[in-house]
Amino acid sequence: MLIWGAVWGAILGLMWPGYGSDFKVVTGALLGLAAGWTLRKVVRKEVEAAWRALPAAAVQPQAGGTPPVYVDQTDTDAPLFESMPETAAPASQVAAPAAAEPAGAFFADTLPPALPEAAPAKAAPTPRPPAPPSAFDQALAGVRNWFVQGNPIVRAGLVILFIGLSFLARYAAQAGLLPVELRLAGIGAAGIALLAVGFRQRVARPGFGLLLQGGGVAVLYLTVFAAFRLYQLVPQLAAFALMVLVCALSCALALLQNARALAFVAFAGGFATPLLLSTGAGSHVALFSYYTLLNLAILFIATRRAWRELNLLGFVATFGTAGAWGWMRYSPEHYASAQAFLIGFIAIFIAASILYARATPLRLGWGVSHAVDHTLVFGTPLLGFGLQAGLVQPFWHGAAFSALGFGATYLLLAAALLRRAADGYRLLVECFLALGVGFVTLAVPLALDAQWTSAIWALEGAAAFWVGTRQARWMPRAFGLALQLLACLSFFGTLGQPVSAWPLAHPGFVGAVLIALPALVIAHWARRPLPHSGSRWAQGYARLEALLPTPLFLYGFILWLQAWSLESVRLLPAPVVDQPMTAAWSSSAAQWLMTGATLLSAAAALQWALRTRWAAAAWPSRLGLPVLVLALVAQWGVGHHVTDGFAWVAWPLALALHGWLLHRNEHAGADLLNPGWARWLDWQHTGTAWLLMALVSDALTAGIDHARLWGTAWASVIGVASATAVLAGLTRWAGRANHASARGRFAWPLNPHAEAYYWRAAGPLALLLWLGAFALAWTSSGRTEPLPYIPLLNPTDLAVLLAMGALLLWRSMVNAAEPRPQGAGLLRQPVFWGATGLLALVVLSTVWLRVAHHFFQVPWNAWALYHSFVVQTGYAILWTVLALALMVAAHRRGLRPAWLAGAGLLALVVLKLILVDLSNRGGGERIIAFIGVGVLMLVVGYLAPLPPRAIERVDKEAA
């Protein structure tokens, strides 16, 4: 290869314009020498990599201690189609042709020596591989090895001889010593002489002989090229025939001597012949027909020799030349012929890759397979498809159909190899399968839009994951998951509002469903550990795969809901161009479409979880309460109420389904319901009661809205009325099960969640009701249009009085509970009675405010009410009557704290008389206030003196 590089470097240098001829020849030869060394280095690395891939057992000595001797197992005497045995041979008997020749034998000067006997393996740790040398170190090592290894004298001599012949021809031409025909004939004779001497030395000195023959072939190619290009002594067709003849004879010599280097030189000249002899006006049909013949010759050699270098030479020369021609000369009228040649080239190199694998057995960890030439296996479809895409660019979906054709071809080849050769071609079958699946995957985005592409990729990913599961292989499963990710990115990357006249029949819905279902299926398959090969990579992937089922299920479930979300925002096509499109669903219908789809999907997932005992599938069904809360908020956002349209039917059904989900989840079993989820479900009972209060309040709001009573007392009592109704209902319904010992006779949900309703749900509700009643009594004017205002029989007074009654009823029920809920002791403390008394005082006081507003025309604002002597007089008398009633009741029951509270209220009245009422000079209200309060205080003093302390009362009773 070094000699070949120097020869062609000198030729190219001679053709380069400018500078002197000698300088160009020497410089071109040196550059060609460097290029040849670089190419040789690359090829040697490929060979060495294949050599190192073989285990040590492949070169163990035979029984009896005789080391194995190099034998070319692809010789002509060996059968061409001998299949591998069904059972794996012993390690000591497995040898590969690619391994039988050591690294660098392709350019060695002698045949490879017998392999040394392999040393016994030692149980020592594998040393860490040294760092790879730098490019400069590799260059120095290459120069040193070229002069030290092999037969450097012969190599240098051939290069010098070639340059000397060039100088001789140039000198003879300049001096006019000999005719040009005679000079070229002499050079050709020197080439033939080198061939003859080299062939005679093929047995005694095979390495020396091969070098001489290679040099002779190079001289002959140079002679024909010079006769045509430089001196125009030979017509183009004759020069072409002579170069083909040189190529054919060189190949025959190479096959006769089993010399792949000589064959490489011959075919290199053959592929270069049309390029060197081209005048720029030739036919591409002739060029590619000639290349087809050369490639068929290489394919024929591949049936008898595993010479990978020839395959690579034909591959690079063919696709390189085809690509350059396509870029510079191709036009649409060349399509038919170019398409035929491209298909032929691809078929030839696919066949060459199969033949190479057949002739190259390789022992792997799981058994004996055949080696794979990755350059041919993967390079052929990649470069071929690139050229094919350029050819079919003018056609509709041409690239998509081409990719589909490539995929089908490789899938059929994989199936054929798998059926005929079983595990022998496992590596090649896997490569063909990967290429087939890859091209089918590529065809989808080339033919369809992003949403359909994502759907097809998701389905394909599920199929790949299923194949990996059945075959216990991790790479197809990883590929399937990667396709799921690509499908998701492709789908959301072009997500928009769908337009369709038919429900569910649009790419948005169908695409999302076709992405969601494969994800759910893959999550179902991966919920249990899947088998794998046990390799280090497989074990690492298995650890990652164990974390994926739950996230993958949630991802699929969310995409399923996304499909319904896209349906809910679907637009109808405009009946006339340039008119705006309308929504297919109303805002209320779209909201209930999403809510219903979510709850029903969660119910289906729960049934799936119960059948398969898969806990993750039950997770969506435990989010029913948040879904309903979001539905209510969304309903409020668009200004709708629970009684609008069909919502009055939908809400009861949704609540019933939510209750069913809670019941089924709580009875699912410990394997599906851990303690954390159990606590969450228990709190959902509490949240459901609060949601019910919001629904009742919204229903009342809808009634006020329909009756147009905003700004009246009817609208102000909505919150208090709904809280009162729910608190009274919880007290009446859940309070029946306030004894834990008797709770077993009640059905679910009171057993076991009664306390969640009558204490956890009702407790915050009671506090909210106290605050709401306080605010309502203080702020509501009591307008009752269209009805007249009646004290205590108007919405405001009735609402706050019923609220107080519900609070007292609830307190009584909680105090009777056994066991008493944690924190319920506060209801027995004076603070509760103080809060209740304060609320009662405010309620009764504001009743008088509304009476003064409606009957005495006092404006309803803080300043007017405070400065009204009618209001102040009424307050004085009312508070004194309240104090009287409280103190009399406390006296009769011996409740000293209550009596003191009444006395405090009475003191407040006296203070008010002094600070407020006394300023009303000459007013009749002041007279009434003072006389009335004084008389009532006398009555208090007579009827309700201060009760004795508890200790004094006990002493009197004891006496």
Side-chain angles (χ1 to χ4, degrees), residues 655-884:
L655 288 171
L657 183 55
H658 168 56
W660 181 84
L661 292 175
L662 283 178
H663 181 266
R664 294 288 289 171
N665 268 291
E666 291 178 3
H667 295 82
D671 56 334
L672 297 182
L673 187 66
N674 57 40
W677 277 116
R679 289 191 296 271
W680 162 252
L681 294 178
D682 186 42
W683 273 100
Q684 284 206 47
H685 291 274
T686 301
T688 303
W690 297 340
L691 175 65
L692 184 61
M693 187 201 72
L695 293 175
V696 173
S697 176
D698 187 68
L700 294 176
T701 302
I704 297 298
D705 194 32
H706 289 307
R708 303 191 180 191
L709 294 175
W710 294 109
T712 68
W714 301 102
S716 62
V717 301
I718 291 175
V720 172
S722 58
T724 301
V726 173
L727 181 62
L730 291 176
T731 303
R732 179 67 182 88
W733 173 67
R736 299 175 301 159
N738 62 346
H739 285 72
S741 58
R743 199 168 292 166
R745 60 188 178 89
F746 293 96
W748 184 91
L750 292 183
N751 181 22
H753 300 290
E755 186 175 322
Y757 288 101
Y758 72 72
W759 175 245
R760 281 211 309 268
L765 192 58
L767 177 60
L768 182 64
L769 182 58
W770 187 94
L771 295 173
F774 190 93
L776 176 63
W778 196 264
T779 59
S780 177
S781 64
R783 290 178 55 192
T784 57
E785 291 87 350
L787 300 178
Y789 174 80
I790 302 175
L792 300 181
L793 294 180
N794 59 82
T796 303
D797 295 341
L798 287 175
V800 294
L801 291 175
L802 289 175
M804 291 186 62
L807 286 172
L808 294 175
L809 182 64
W810 170 75
R811 173 190 177 275
S812 176
M813 181 272 297
V814 173
N815 284 335
E818 293 182 2
R820 187 178 302 167
Q822 184 180 3
L826 185 65
L827 300 180
R828 293 177 176 266
Q829 300 296 324
V831 64
F832 174 80
W833 292 114
T836 304
L838 176 61
L839 178 60
L841 176 63
V842 170
V843 169
L844 295 175
S845 300
T846 53
V847 168
W848 168 245
L849 287 180
R850 283 182 284 275
V851 170
H853 170 64
H854 287 280
F855 292 102
F856 296 95
Q857 287 74 43
V858 180
W860 186 259
N861 60 73
W863 191 92
L865 291 171
Y866 177 79
H867 290 86
S868 171
F869 289 105
V870 172
V871 172
Q872 297 298 338
T873 300
Y875 269 166
I877 297 175
L878 176 62
W879 289 356
T880 305
V881 171
L882 292 177
L884 172 61

Side-chain angles (χ1 to χ4, degrees), residues 401-645:
F401 286 115
S402 298
L404 194 61
F406 272 83
T409 300
Y410 277 100
L411 290 176
L412 291 175
L413 285 173
L417 288 175
L418 191 62
R419 179 177 298 180
R420 296 188 59 182
D423 289 338
Y425 287 89
R426 177 172 173 180
L427 284 178
L428 191 60
V429 167
E430 290 179 358
C431 293
F432 281 178
L433 277 176
L435 287 169
V437 172
F439 275 110
V440 171
T441 303
L442 179 62
V444 176
L446 293 175
L448 303 175
D449 60 17
Q451 292 179 340
W452 287 112
T453 296
S454 59
I456 301 299
W457 280 355
L459 293 173
E460 186 180 350
F465 195 92
W466 177 79
V467 171
T469 302
R470 294 294 301 272
Q471 297 181 356
R473 297 166 59 203
W474 69 272
M475 290 190 68
R477 302 206 296 264
F479 176 71
L481 294 175
L483 279 181
Q484 296 297 316
L485 178 60
L486 290 177
C488 177
L489 296 177
S490 175
F491 180 79
F492 284 102
T494 58
L495 192 61
Q497 196 169 7
V499 179
S500 175
W502 296 94
L504 311 183
H506 52 87
F509 180 84
V510 177
V513 168
L514 292 180
I515 298 175
L517 293 181
L520 294 173
V521 172
I522 292 176
H524 176 71
W525 288 336
R527 73 188 191 280
R528 295 189 180 95
L530 297 177
H532 54 80
S533 62
S535 66
R536 179 170 61 88
W537 285 92
Q539 292 175 1
Y541 170 79
R543 289 191 293 269
L544 175 63
E545 192 177 64
L547 304 175
L548 293 180
T550 298
L552 196 58
F553 169 80
L554 297 178
Y555 157 76
F557 190 82
I558 292 173
L559 278 176
W560 169 262
L561 297 182
Q562 177 66 33
W564 291 99
S565 175
L566 290 172
E567 171 61 25
S568 68
V569 298
R570 176 172 56 91
L571 297 176
L572 295 175
V576 181
V577 180
D578 296 334
Q579 283 191 355
M581 293 181 288
T582 58
W585 301 87
S586 66
S587 56
S588 178
Q591 172 222 322
W592 279 110
L593 175 66
M594 276 304 303
T595 304
T598 303
L599 292 177
L600 291 174
S601 302
L606 178 59
Q607 290 296 100
W608 186 13
L610 294 175
R611 291 176 63 89
T612 61
R613 311 309 297 174
W614 184 22
W619 286 15
S621 63
R622 296 164 186 172
L623 301 175
L625 180 61
V627 170
L628 294 179
V629 171
L630 289 176
L632 182 58
V633 172
Q635 181 177 272
W636 289 343
V638 295
H640 292 163
H641 302 287
V642 296
T643 57
D644 292 347

Side-chain angles (χ1 to χ4, degrees), residues 48 73 99-100 161-162 166 178 239 257 285 307 350 496 617 768 848 866 872-873 914 930 943:
E48 291 171 0
Q73 297 183 9
L161 176 61
F162 181 81
S166 302
L178 296 172
Q257 302 172 77
V285 175
W307 288 352
I350 290 177
L768 182 64
W848 168 245
Y866 177 79
Q872 297 298 338
T873 300
I914 298 172
F930 274 83
L943 296 178

